[in-house]
Amino acid sequence: MDAQRVPILGTTAQSIDNAEDRDKFSAMLDRIGVDQPEWRALSSMDDIHAFVQKVGYPVLVRPSYVLSGAAMNVCSNEEELTRFLALAANVSKKHPVVVSKFMLNTKEVEMDAVARNGEIIAYAISEHVEYAGVHSGDATIMFPAQKLYVETVRRIKKISGQIARELNISGPFNIQYLARENEIKVIECNLRASRSFPFVSKVLKINLIDIATRIMLGLPVEKPRKSFFDFDYVGVKASQFSFNRLQGTDPVLGVDMASTGEVGCLGEDANAALLKAMLSVGQRVPEKSVLISAGDPKHKNMLLEPARLLASRGYELFATKGTAAFFDQYHIPCTRVFLPNEAEDEKPGVDTATLPMALDMLHSKAIELVISIPKEIDLEGVNNGYKVRRAAIDLNIPVISNPRLAGAFVKAFMAMAPAATTSLETAQQALDALDINAWDEY
C-alpha cells in the first residue's frame, strides 16, 4: 500500500518495517546504544553450533519450518539442540534459523504505550509473574508492576522514549524487555496494539486505543495527568487454557502460545488480584492436600518457601522422589509418592499395592492440587511428569506447571487467610476475604 502511495494513518510503513525486520531493528538498537540479547540468523549447522559455543547454553531456536507445529524451543544442551534441529524441514540460506542467547531467571517486562510524533503520551509498565520463557500470551501479567526496581522502571521509560523517537511512532506500540537486577535488554517492539492494551486500559481507566486513534487521525490529545498513574489497587491478567479439550497435550507453559483466552481481575493488593484471576480461569484453593514434583534443583529452591507455608497450615504434602528428599533436608513433612513404573525399580519384591502411587491417588481424588514442574522439554516421547499432569487434567484436578506462578498462587491464598490455623480454614478464609466489586468501584 505504501508503495502505491496509499495514505497510511499513524506510524509510517517504513518505521513499521524498521521494527519488524529483525536486522534493521537490531542495527537501530546498536546505533542508539540499547542492549539486546545476542542473536544470529544462521543458515548452516556448523554456523549454529559455532554461535552456541560462543554465547553458551541455553539458547532460543526458531527454525523456519518444523514438524508438529512447534515454532521455537529453548535448548539447554547440545543433545536438545541436535534433537530439535532434526525436526526442522531444512536449514539453508533460504530457510535460516534464528538463534538467540536465552537468559535464565530473568523477568519479562512490557511497556504498552501511545506516542505522537515520537513522543510518548501515555504508557503502562507491567511485569510477568513467570520468568522469561513463557509466551506473553500465556503469562500471568501484573499491573502496575509490583517487584521491579525503581531504577529498572526508570531505564525502561528512557529506552522506550529513545525507541519511540527513533521510529517516530504515532499511535500504539508495545515493547517487551528482559530485566535482571538492573540489566535491561529489549526483546522486540511491535508497532501495534498488543493483547495487553485492553487490560492495562481498564486498570488505568484510560482508553489507550481512543488516544491512539485520535493521534492517528490528527486530532488534539492531551497528556493524562501524572495522578492518573497512581492508584491504590492492582490488576492481574491470567490466561485460560483448554488442555482438557486437547487430548494428549502436556499442560506446560513455554515459548509457544497455548492459551485460548484470558481474564483480568482487580484487587486491593497483588495477592487479592492474583487469587481472583487464578480462580477465574479454573484454579481452586486446595482444602487439604497438594502434590509437588519440583523438577530441577533451582525449581525445588523456588518452591521451598511455598511448601513450608503449606505444611505450617496443616496441608498434607505429597512429593515425588527427588522433591521429597529435598524437603526432608529442610524438615518439611511430606509423603513420598511413586510415579508410574517407578515402584518396581525402587522397591523390588515389595507389593506395589501398599505404596502410595501418584496416579492412583489422583483417581481417588486424594490430591486437590498438582504442582508439577517439567525438568526439560521432552522431544522424544512420554515421561512420568507428563503422565501425572495429563491425568490431573483429565480428572479435572488443577495443575500448575510453572514454579513462579505456583509460588505466587500459594502465597496469595495464604496471605488472604492470615488468621487460619488449618488447611480447611485457610481455603475458606481466603475465599471469604475476596471482595467482589464492580470495575468503577475501584
Side-chain angles (χ1 to χ4, degrees), residues 23-62:
D23 285 318
K24 293 178 181 178
F25 184 66
S26 179
M28 184 199 80
L29 294 181
D30 289 342
R31 185 172 65 253
I32 64 177
V34 172
D35 203 6
Q36 60 187 307
E38 194 167 355
W39 70 280
R40 294 288 185 277
L42 303 168
S43 55
S44 75
M45 301 295 283
D46 289 342
D47 289 342
I48 292 171
H49 285 289
F51 175 75
V52 173
Q53 187 174 14
K54 174 188 174 185
V55 301
Y57 289 101
V59 291
L60 178 64
V61 185
R62 287 177 279 185

Side-chain angles (χ1 to χ4, degrees), residues 22 95 111 118 126 158 172 282 288 313 329 375 438:
R22 188 70 206 182
H95 304 299
M111 162 75 93
S126 55
K158 179 181 177 182
K288 58 181 181 179
R313 294 284 179 88
Q329 293 177 20
K375 287 186 176 180

Side-chain angles (χ1 to χ4, degrees), residues 174-189:
N174 166 273
I175 305 178
Q176 296 175 13
Y177 291 93
L178 296 172
R180 185 167 59 193
E181 298 299 328
N182 281 319
E183 180 185 8
I184 312 297
K185 294 181 184 290
V186 172
I187 301 175
E188 63 183 6
C189 174

Side-chain angles (χ1 to χ4, degrees), residues 6-7 68 70 83 109 152 369 432:
V6 175
S68 305
R83 284 189 290 168
V109 184
T152 293
L369 171 65
D432 291 342

Side-chain angles (χ1 to χ4, degrees), residues 335-404:
T335 300
R336 188 260 174 105
V337 297
F338 290 80
L339 295 170
N341 304 322
E342 192 178 57
E344 292 85 348
D345 297 333
E346 191 71 23
K347 301 271 188 177
V350 174
D351 181 8
T352 58
T354 64
L355 301 177
M357 303 296 292
L359 293 185
D360 292 342
M361 299 184 72
L362 289 172
H363 279 276
S364 66
K365 299 299 176 75
I367 293 170
E368 298 170 320
L369 171 65
V370 173
I371 299 174
S372 176
I373 316 302
K375 287 186 176 180
E376 60 183 35
I377 296 172
D378 185 2
L379 298 175
E380 291 187 336
V382 177
N383 59 32
N384 279 327
Y386 161 80
K387 291 177 181 177
V388 169
R389 290 188 293 272
R390 188 64 238 179
I393 289 293
D394 292 337
L395 294 166
N396 196 30
I397 298 171
V399 177
I400 302 178
S401 61
N402 182 276
R404 292 262 299 174

Side-chain angles (χ1 to χ4, degrees), residues 268-387:
E268 291 188 356
D269 57 31
N271 289 320
L274 178 70
L275 187 54
K276 287 180 183 179
M278 295 287 282
L279 293 173
S280 298
V281 297
Q283 295 294 341
R284 296 191 296 273
V285 178
E287 295 182 354
K288 58 181 181 179
S289 57
V290 179
L291 169 61
I292 303 177
S293 179
D296 296 325
K298 61 184 178 183
H299 299 145
K300 290 181 174 66
N301 278 304
M302 287 183 188
L303 291 171
L304 182 62
E305 187 57 30
R308 183 178 281 116
L309 283 173
L310 288 166
S312 70
R313 294 284 179 88
Y315 278 92
E316 189 173 7
L317 295 186
F318 299 93
T320 51
K321 181 182 178 181
T323 304
F326 180 79
F327 287 166
D328 184 61
Q329 293 177 20
Y330 292 90
H331 309 291
I332 297 175
C334 67
T335 300
R336 188 260 174 105
V337 297
F338 290 80
L339 295 170
N341 304 322
E342 192 178 57
E344 292 85 348
D345 297 333
E346 191 71 23
K347 301 271 188 177
V350 174
D351 181 8
T352 58
T354 64
L355 301 177
M357 303 296 292
L359 293 185
D360 292 342
M361 299 184 72
L362 289 172
H363 279 276
S364 66
K365 299 299 176 75
I367 293 170
E368 298 170 320
L369 171 65
V370 173
I371 299 174
S372 176
I373 316 302
K375 287 186 176 180
E376 60 183 35
I377 296 172
D378 185 2
L379 298 175
E380 291 187 336
V382 177
N383 59 32
N384 279 327
Y386 161 80
K387 291 177 181 177

